[in-house]
């Protein structure tokens, strides 16, 4: 649950999966590994409700990092399989973070 | 899982709760109701993992709506109780959405 010095970029990806794994898990693990190699990658948050809605937020220092991630070959192949097999629906919101703050109990 | 015509604003709120309800549920329901009255409110997404990480993304057409929500009296009292009782930690990222797209299977 990181906070960074603005400005930075956030990619908010919300999704509902199709039933079954169909190779999703292995690819998702690989994508988590791969995104860490993108210059400017800052971190990510992920939550998934039992109801089925999943939210991933990936943070990047610069828009270039985000564009590099969007265009990465392995990632593009994963996106293609996502539309073909893994997702019932999804939304992507690419946003520039202008303000942020964090709270930790006891700080 | 809405997508809107950019530009619009997104408030990404990630949190970990303290144990127990302590009045949180009633207030959370009231906040969900209240935010719908804010001019420019577009919608929200919410997911919570069993591991404890919760992510809420609220979408607003204009920054003014987001500022009105941030400054709303009932909401400010809820924020105060959140820091006093309900949250172990949280992060808020306020961002301007520059690009977005959605996917629905079978479309």
């Amino acid at each position: 649950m990181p906070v960074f010095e603005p400005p930075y970029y956030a990619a908010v990806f919300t999704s509902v999966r199709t039933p079954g794994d169909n190779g999703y898990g292995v690819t998702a693990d690989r994508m988590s590994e791969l995104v860490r190699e993108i210059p400017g990658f800052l971190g990510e948050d992920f939550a998934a409700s039992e109801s089925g809605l999943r939210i991933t937020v990936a943070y990047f220092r610069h828009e270039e990092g985000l564009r590099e991630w969007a265009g990465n070959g392995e990632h593009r192949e994963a996106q293609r399989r996502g539309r073909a097999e893994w997702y019932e629906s999804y939304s992507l919101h690419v946003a520039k973070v202008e303000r942020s703050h964090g709270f930790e109990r006891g700080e």
Side-chain angles (χ1 to χ4, degrees), chain A:
Chain A
M1 196 190 319
V3 174
F4 312 99
E5 185 71 24
Y8 52 96
Y9 275 80
V12 178
F13 182 72
T14 68
S15 63
V16 174
R17 291 276 319 280
T18 51
D21 184 71
N22 308 310
Y24 172 81
V26 169
T27 303
D29 289 349
R30 172 62 185 147
M31 291 303 115
S32 289
E33 199 179 278
L34 194 60
V35 71
R36 282 169 174 68
E37 297 173 14
I38 303 290
F41 175 75
L42 294 171
E44 62 187 342
D45 288 315
F46 173 72
S49 286
E50 281 182 43
S51 69
L53 187 64
R54 306 155 57 84
I55 304 178
T56 304
V57 188
Y59 307 96
F60 292 86
R61 175 48 66 198
H62 303 294
E63 191 174 13
E64 296 70 46
L66 212 150
R67 287 187 188 276
E68 182 172 334
W69 177 232
N72 175 279
E74 270 190 77
H75 186 207
R76 286 182 65 95
E77 172 58 15
Q79 291 168 47
R80 191 195 62 72
R81 288 194 66 189
R83 287 185 296 271
E85 304 174 70
W86 298 325
Y87 295 115
E88 197 54 47
S89 57
Y90 64 71
S91 298
L92 177 69
H93 312 264
V94 174
K96 184 178 187 174
V97 179
E98 299 178 346
R99 301 192 300 281
S100 64
H101 74 264
F103 166 80
E104 288 278 344
R105 179 159 305 282
E107 265 190 2

